[in-house]
Structure formats: C-alpha cells, structure tokens
Amino acid sequence: MNYREKLVAQIVICMVIFAGIRTIGMLDIKGVREVKAFIGEHFQKNYTAEDIKTAGSRLIEEAGDIHSEITSVVLKANKVGEFGEPIGKADDDGIQVIYAAAAGEVTSVGINKDMGMYVKINHNDKVTTYGNLCQLTVITGDKVKKGQIIGSFDNKTEAEFLYSQTDL
C-alpha cells in the first residue's frame, strides 16, 4: 500500500468512526446522555488561562507514549498489524525499536523520498515495509525471525513511522 492509498484508507476510517459517534449520539442511551451532560457542563464553564495551562500540562504528562499508542491503533484499524505490532515503546531519547513483524527475508533496504530510510521483508505470502527509520540493523538478503530488531525510529522528528503489509 503506497502513501496515498494509506492516507485515503485512514481518512475513510476516520469518517466511519465519526459517523458511528454521530449515530451513537443520536440514540437515547443512558451512558451517552451522561457523557453529553459532562461535555456540556465543561463547555459552559469560564476557564482561566491558568486552568487551561494546568489541564494541558497534565494531559501532556499522561500522553507520554501517545505516538506508539496512536501507531498501534492505526495499525489495528487498517488491519495491517495482523502479524503483530512492529514498534516498541520510546526510550528517554524518543527512540523506538522496530521489530520484524514475522519471519522472512530482507528484500530491500535504502532511502526513498516518500519513505525515508526503509526496510522491506518478504514473508512468502506478504511483504512488510517499514519506513522513516533512523537506523537499520539489517541488510538485503538477511533472514529475520519474528520479533528480531531490524532498526529504530526517532519519534521526536516530524516524520511518521510508516508500516504496511502487501499481499503477494
């Protein structure tokens, strides 16, 4: 799946989620009424700049691993994560280890204008592609096992970790 196809798929998924939320909102369910009341209550309050700053700081603290969590959700939503999650938690420097999603052979490594530094692995019936890596630990022709480290991703850059599976 190329970048544009992936983007279109993510937009469609977001639209489906939004439609589902809107549909649930129209239903008269107790839990939904409580959430609506809670949100309405907070929109009516006059918050000070200090209140917003405090809430924002707390949110940032709680969202420390948000990049890997979002990646995980996107992978599952796109069903490209059927082999497993290929990205580890960030260390203190924002570096995340990237794992081979399944056993296979590295068919290509390099730098591409759309994917940055990348690795492609053939798994017999599928090919996985990992992009925007900051370091590689494999070369073309290497045999890899599921869970083997193949590189790393720096989540402190503006680039997004790219991961896709394609049927052969």
Side-chain angles (χ1 to χ4, degrees):
M1 184 181 295
N2 66 32
Y3 175 76
R4 288 183 181 159
E5 291 170 337
K6 187 175 181 181
L7 181 62
V8 169
Q10 289 176 349
I11 289 171
V12 169
I13 288 168
C14 289
M15 291 173 58
V16 168
I17 291 170
F18 176 76
I21 291 170
R22 291 291 295 161
T23 303
I24 290 170
M26 288 185 235
L27 300 175
D28 192 27
I29 300 171
K30 181 183 176 189
V32 173
R33 283 192 306 257
E34 290 171 2
V35 170
K36 282 181 170 179
F38 176 80
I39 292 171
E41 180 181 317
H42 285 280
F43 274 117
Q44 292 175 3
K45 287 185 180 179
N46 290 323
Y47 290 101
T48 66
E50 190 60 36
D51 293 337
I52 294 170
K53 184 178 175 184
T54 301
S57 295
R58 190 176 69 235
L59 181 62
I60 288 171
E61 286 175 19
E62 292 175 6
D65 254 350
I66 197 73
H67 189 275
S68 62
E69 296 301 320
I70 288 174
T71 302
S72 174
V73 169
V74 170
L75 291 175
K76 289 175 184 168
N78 284 328
K79 295 184 180 174
V80 296
E82 82 180 64
F83 284 154
E85 295 184 31
I87 189 165
K89 295 203 180 287
D91 66 12
D92 292 339
D93 295 325
I95 304 299
Q96 294 175 269
V97 175
I98 305 302
Y99 304 98
E105 181 178 349
V106 177
T107 58
S108 178
V109 297
I111 298 175
N112 175 293
K113 72 176 185 119
D114 295 322
M115 295 187 298
M117 195 179 312
Y118 72 92
V119 173
K120 286 187 180 186
I121 301 175
N122 182 329
H123 307 283
N124 294 330
D125 60 338
K126 294 189 185 294
V127 172
T128 54
T129 304
Y130 311 79
N132 286 331
L133 304 177
C134 66
Q135 180 184 22
L136 302 177
T137 59
V138 294
I139 60 173
T140 302
D142 282 354
K143 304 278 190 221
V144 296
K145 296 177 182 176
K146 179 178 181 173
Q148 180 178 332
I149 296 173
I150 59 170
S152 58
F153 170 73
D154 184 353
N155 72 11
K156 290 190 177 180
T157 66
E158 292 187 22
E160 177 184 346
F161 171 63
L162 301 175
Y163 172 64
S164 67
Q165 289 178 5
T166 310
D167 292 325
L168 289 178

